[in-house]
Amino acid sequence: MSSTLAESWERYAATSKPRRATNGCGESTWLNWTQYADHGPDETVLGPVAGRKVLELGSGSGDNLAHLVTLGASGVGIDVAPSREAVARKRWGGLPGVEFRTAEAVEFLEGATEEFDVVLSIFGAVWFTAPDTLMPLVRGRISLGGVLVFSHLPPGSQELQPGKTGMRHDHTPDEWRSLLVGHGFSDVRVSLIDPPEAKAVGTMLVHARAA
Ligand SMILES: C[S@@+](CC[C@H](N)C(=O)[O-])C[C@H]1O[C@@H](n2cnc3c(N)ncnc32)[C@H](O)[C@@H]1O
């Protein structure tokens, strides 16, 4: 694993605050695709998850993946920063069916043998890894008809730039469509989630199906 990458993300992790114990609806687990609390679509974007095998690339503190597991999925969350695994295990390690590992996304996928029905990444490794490297590996580990869904800032946004400058792989909706179709995905849908306030930055949400 690239220790420089892990160190860079460890520095970012040191600035991360734990998620609130409950959301605005009083729920103790939930999935948030956006950078704003209590905002945007929920896990239904993924389709039914009960009984599905889920992989999260860049799972951070594990809260989003844990929510899917409470709905009946089994989940593996990987993150390049070792402290993220420790935090996620401490909070969610007792939940049956969830597993957290320290791994870089490309290295994990290169070594993986299992198939996943759902792959997600929320401001995670998909945003920080060259798609021509990552997408063939994701396609290779996702079952036929399985879904890949990820979110990140819209291209051109200047906020939230953790780690080294130039790490982000920002793409326009047309670029994502062409990249994903080129790597064996279909049904590519890219939406821009409006921010809660007019002057703030929205969120790009990308959905694709393994063809
Ligand atoms: C902006 S944080 C988002 C974390 C989490 N998904 C969330 O929504 O809170 C990005 C996460 O992706 C991880 N990450 C970045 N590049 C990665 C890579 N190539 N492989 C694995 N994890 C990576 C970072 O360590 C970090 O925890």
Side-chain angles (χ1 to χ4, degrees):
M1 184 195 300
S2 156
S3 57
T4 312
L5 186 70
E7 283 161 15
S8 164
W9 281 107
E10 277 299 354
R11 283 194 292 278
Y12 175 77
T15 68
S16 299
K17 293 190 193 119
R19 198 193 241 192
R20 299 161 299 157
T22 55
N23 65 8
C25 298
E27 296 156 333
S28 57
T29 71
W30 67 96
L31 187 142
N32 188 359
W33 296 104
T34 77
Q35 64 275 44
Y36 304 108
D38 301 324
H39 183 71
D42 62 14
E43 73 285 344
T44 53
V45 169
L46 296 167
V49 295
R52 301 265 169 108
K53 205 160 173 199
V54 177
L55 171 66
E56 183 169 4
L57 299 173
S59 46
S61 52
D63 304 303
N64 289 308
L65 182 64
H67 177 62
L68 299 178
V69 171
T70 65
L71 298 176
S74 59
V76 178
I78 65 122
D79 200 293
V80 71
S83 70
R84 299 283 81 194
E85 176 185 343
V87 165
R89 275 182 192 258
K90 190 170 176 200
R91 183 144 188 203
W92 302 111
L95 188 65
V98 76
E99 196 186 325
F100 295 102
R101 297 188 208 163
T102 299
E104 193 283 318
V106 169
E107 292 177 6
F108 172 81
L109 288 163
E110 281 173 342
T113 51
E114 64 266 63
E115 271 203 338
F116 298 91
D117 307 304
V118 174
V119 178
L120 77 153
S121 189
I122 300 178
F123 287 69
V126 167
W127 197 25
F128 301 106
T129 311
D132 285 337
T133 303
L134 187 69
M135 290 308 164
L137 295 168
V138 172
R139 181 62 194 84
R141 289 290 112 224
I142 197 165
S143 55
L144 193 63
V147 292
L148 165 67
V149 185
F150 56 91
S151 59
H152 61 71
L153 291 186
S157 311
Q158 296 302 311
E159 295 171 21
L160 188 74
Q161 187 144 21
K164 292 181 287 184
T165 305
M167 279 175 80
R168 295 182 348 190
H169 291 271
D170 286 334
H171 291 289
T172 64
D174 281 347
E175 287 167 349
W176 271 128
R177 272 183 215 104
S178 152
L179 274 163
L180 289 162
V181 168
H183 287 300
F185 291 89
S186 65
D187 188 19
V188 180
R189 287 177 268 142
V190 184
S191 48
L192 197 59
I193 303 165
D194 287 334
E197 290 164 20
K199 285 189 182 164
V201 177
T203 311
M204 185 173 275
L205 182 67
V206 183
H207 173 288
R209 193 170 291 284

